[in-house]
Amino acid sequence: MATLAANKQRDYQMGDKEEYPVVAADIIYQGAAVGENASGYARPLVAADPFLGFAEAIADNSAGAAGAITVNVKKRGNIVLPISGLAITANDRPAVYASDDDTFTLTATSNTLIGYVSRWVATGLAVVEFDAALCKAALQA
């Protein structure tokens, strides 16, 4: 394969953002943790779903077929979340899990890994560093 000898225009994508087709007859609200169902469609996260990121805006597919619309998600970054059972000792970067699209915990059992505590803010509140690709890789390890 030859190296470039001139400039080449590339098709760059959204970086830390992604767009996924939404499951039929459901609504993903802005700020929701988004999961992937067994058919590959995005939905409000359900425990044990692969984590896709956080919805940047509402995706209302309540009257549509699967894939009729897409949801834009932020797939990596930092987010402030309420976390059940979180105390100041969380500065040791514990894993954070979701049991649904808006319930976050330090308990792994049957929940979905979404990231790690980056910084404790207050009892039950922390900055969480998330990366959907790394969470998916952790599931496959």
Side-chain angles (χ1 to χ4, degrees):
M1 186 156 224
T3 62
L4 286 177
N7 293 333
K8 185 171 189 174
Q9 197 69 2
R10 302 277 187 193
D11 181 13
Y12 293 99
Q13 298 297 305
M14 296 187 263
D16 67 344
K17 299 178 183 179
E18 192 56 81
E19 182 178 60
Y20 296 103
V22 175
V23 69
D26 212 340
I27 301 171
I28 300 173
Y29 290 95
Q30 179 179 356
V34 179
E36 180 180 12
N37 74 5
S39 299
Y41 291 101
R43 66 178 175 184
L45 188 138
V46 173
D49 277 354
F51 174 62
L52 297 176
F54 288 93
E56 291 195 306
I58 189 172
D60 186 347
N61 200 27
S62 56
I69 67 165
T70 58
V71 61
N72 291 321
V73 301
K74 187 155 176 76
K75 61 184 181 178
R76 67 176 173 254
N78 293 334
I79 189 170
V80 177
L81 295 174
I83 303 169
S84 175
L86 182 74
I88 193 166
T89 56
N91 285 328
D92 60 353
R93 295 186 56 82
V96 177
Y97 301 87
S99 59
D100 64 36
D101 67 343
D102 193 37
T103 304
F104 307 100
T105 180
L106 301 178
T107 304
T109 310
S110 74
N111 292 319
T112 298
L113 175 66
I114 61 140
Y116 296 88
V117 170
S118 176
R119 180 173 49 87
W120 178 84
V121 175
T123 299
L125 192 66
V127 176
V128 175
E129 184 176 355
F130 67 97
D131 187 323
L134 292 179
C135 290
K136 189 170 187 175
L139 281 176
Q140 296 170 342

